Amino acid sequence: MKILMVCLGNICRSPMAEGILRTKAEQKGLAVEVDSCGTADYHVGENPDPRSVEKSKEHNIDISSLCGRQFSVEDFDYFDIILTMDSQNYRDIQKLARDEKDLQKVKLILDYLYPGEDKGVPDPYYGEDDGFEKVFQLLDQASEAFIRTHFNG
Ligand code: 4NP
């Protein structure tokens, strides 16, 4: 199963989501490929924000060498599920869908944890450092819920 994590800049939330889900899938021996990208091109070619790198490292996940990229419409062909971090990312990706099949691939990651509540992962970029721990915990729980839903794991 191929999963694409999407946020705005691809330096704070989605690289953490990528690292967390990849690590859990490896630990559980699940055949999951994970990548991440941004809806915007602001940080293309950059490594993740140092605060995301540090927070992930505290939890034994190394995301330091990931490299920012922007979503491309071809991602609809390659990935099975596209997990967006908030409702703005969700709308931005849905606008690029070419057909119903593309549309069906786009989901809010927190729907796995809080079904139907339209919750978003808060953007920690401009906030205090403790925002990154909150984001990590939300993504950790959402990744567990994702695995329970798709793999009974
Ligand atoms: P992200 O956070 O979408 O979680 O990567 C942001 C990173 C950069 C910006 C906004 C949000 N920015 O405006 O540059």
Side-chain angles (χ1 to χ4, degrees), residues 1-43:
M1 188 185 284
K2 302 190 200 85
I3 309 300
L4 182 62
M5 302 292 189
V6 182
C7 64
L8 175 61
N10 193 209
I11 54 167
C12 295
R13 292 166 293 176
S14 62
M16 270 204 274
E18 175 183 347
I20 291 167
L21 183 60
R22 176 179 296 126
T23 301
K24 288 185 188 297
E26 280 170 6
Q27 286 167 349
K28 294 172 196 276
L30 304 174
V32 177
E33 181 179 328
V34 195
D35 192 11
S36 66
C37 68
T39 55
D41 64 359
Y42 313 143
H43 298 282

Side-chain angles (χ1 to χ4, degrees), residues 138-151:
L138 271 177
L139 292 174
D140 190 73
Q141 290 169 32
S143 296
E144 288 287 341
F146 176 86
I147 288 171
R148 277 198 301 277
T149 300
H150 292 286
F151 297 95

